């Protein structure tokens, strides 16, 4: 998001837990180009002070516990950070400058065990994890701030968004990183859970473009951001290993202990509203996404090797 905004000529301020730590971990593309300020998600007054001094025109909220394996471990912290802190932010915006436009990175986890497929903005929320419940709380409050206080607050219901920067606990990155290691002779096999699990995987860079477009509209609203196409973990393996001239069947093993409960309906979104109202379409298709991630990990693994 920061890279996109810099390209568009924005002044970008990163609101982070610890500016010194964040400075050290900043991507080279951002270093020297963005400012960092301390953002305490537990303190309404600290939030208000930051908003009053930075004077943002747009606010994109990505601060959250991420989904993945750990998302059931700390339900209280999850609701605090992914839900309540969003309400604090909205309240700080209302008090300091009700004209600040707010965009929330929400999640398809709000649909949980989805009640219909594909999932759209009109699909009933049915969260089945503390993560989904917290994101759903935030979405409900965004709607309330929109209607009751006239705040320009929008929520992007993001389906799985991948890139070479994806964390290793997610299946996509686990596959591309291990495939690269296998190609380089650093590993021999890869254990995964259910290969038939399906997801609607898109490129994160496309999804932030949708979020930016959401804040350029004449009125706020919620948008599902997805590709509308589901692929299996098996498809992902086939393309990832295939790109390295390897056959995944020789390396990938299913580990039944890692199987998750199957979803009752297909988790796939419908981005028709984003297409119609924002003119947004994802630019990077599934195969290119997989190949870009593999290429990046091959470079990473080769650099580590040297
Ligand atoms: P999620 O959509 O946030 O759960 O993203 P993940 O990348 O963690 O999981 C995507 C899908 O891949 C899920 O249906 C998992 O059950 C499936 N999967 C299969 N093998 C693995 C694995 O080894 N690790 C992870 N994280 N997921 C796996």
């Amino acid at each position: 998001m920061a890279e996109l905004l810099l390209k568009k000529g924005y002044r970008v301020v990163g609101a982070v837990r610890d500016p010194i730590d964040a400075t050290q971990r900043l991507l080279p593309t951002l270093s020297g180009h963005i400012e960092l300020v301390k953002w305490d998600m537990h303190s309404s007054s600290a939030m208000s002070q930051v908003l009053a001094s930075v004077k943002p025109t747009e606010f994109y909220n990505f601060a959250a516990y991420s989904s993945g394996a750990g998302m059931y471990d700390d339900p209280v912290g999850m609701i605090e950070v992914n839900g309540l802190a969003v309400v604090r932010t909205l309240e700080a915006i209302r008090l300091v400058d009700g004209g600040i436009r707010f965009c929330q990175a929400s999640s398809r986890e709000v649909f949980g065990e989805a009640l219909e497929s594909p999932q759209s903005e009109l699909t009933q929320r049915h969260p089945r994890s503390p993560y989904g419940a917290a994101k759903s709380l935030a979405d409900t409050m965004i709607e309330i701030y929109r209607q009751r206080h006239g705040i320009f607050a929008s929520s992007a219901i993001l389906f799985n968004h991948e890139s070479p920067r994806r964390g290793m606990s997610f299946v996509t990155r686990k596959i591309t990183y291990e495939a690269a290691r296998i190609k380089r002779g650093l590993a021999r096999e890869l254990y995964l859970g259910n290969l038939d699990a399906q997801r609607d995987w898109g490129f994160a860079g496309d999804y932030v473009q949708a979020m930016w477009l959401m804040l350029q509209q004449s009125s706020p609203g919620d948008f599902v951001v997805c590709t509308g196409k589901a692929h299996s973990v098996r498809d992902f393996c086939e393309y990832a290993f295939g790109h390295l001239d390897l056959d995944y069947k020789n390396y990938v093993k299913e580990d039944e202990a890692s199987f998750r409960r199957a979803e009752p309906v297909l988790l796939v979104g419908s981005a028709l509203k984003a297409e119609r109202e924002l003119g947004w379409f994802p630019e990077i298709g599934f195969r290119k996404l997989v190949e870009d991630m593999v290429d990046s990990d091959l470079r990473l693994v080769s650099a580590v090797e040297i």
Side-chain angles (χ1 to χ4, degrees), residues 22-41:
T23 306
Q24 285 158 3
R25 292 187 295 117
L26 216 52
L27 294 162
T29 49
L30 299 180
S31 192
H33 300 289
I34 71 168
E35 301 159 48
L36 294 174
V37 290
K38 183 171 166 54
W39 185 246
D40 181 353
M41 301 185 76

Side-chain angles (χ1 to χ4, degrees), residues 67-69 71 108-109 160 162 166 168-175 190-199 201 233 258-261 263 267:
S67 59
M71 72 185 186
R108 61 119 184 110
E109 284 282 333
N160 296 51
E162 314 299 314
R166 193 51 143 159
M168 297 288 181
S169 65
F170 291 86
V171 73
T172 52
R173 187 72 199 288
K174 185 171 167 184
I175 295 167
L190 166 59
Y191 283 91
L192 296 174
N194 186 2
L195 295 184
D196 294 315
Q198 296 191 58
R199 286 288 184 271
W201 281 298
V233 174
S258 306
F259 274 37
R260 293 194 212 157
R261 204 151 65 92
E263 286 85 21
L267 295 178

Side-chain angles (χ1 to χ4, degrees), residues 175-177 179-180 182-184 234-249 251 286-299:
I175 295 167
T176 59
Y177 186 68
I182 288 169
K183 179 72 182 176
R184 288 275 175 255
R234 190 184 304 280
D235 293 339
F236 199 103
C237 290
E238 194 178 322
Y239 287 150
F241 283 81
H243 189 52
L244 298 168
D245 297 319
L246 300 173
D247 182 346
Y248 80 95
K249 295 194 203 82
Y251 306 97
F286 179 68
R287 188 167 200 142
K288 169 116 175 71
L289 172 64
V290 176
E291 293 180 354
D292 286 352
M293 289 178 71
V294 170
D295 287 340
S296 167
D297 275 329
L298 199 59
R299 284 193 297 273

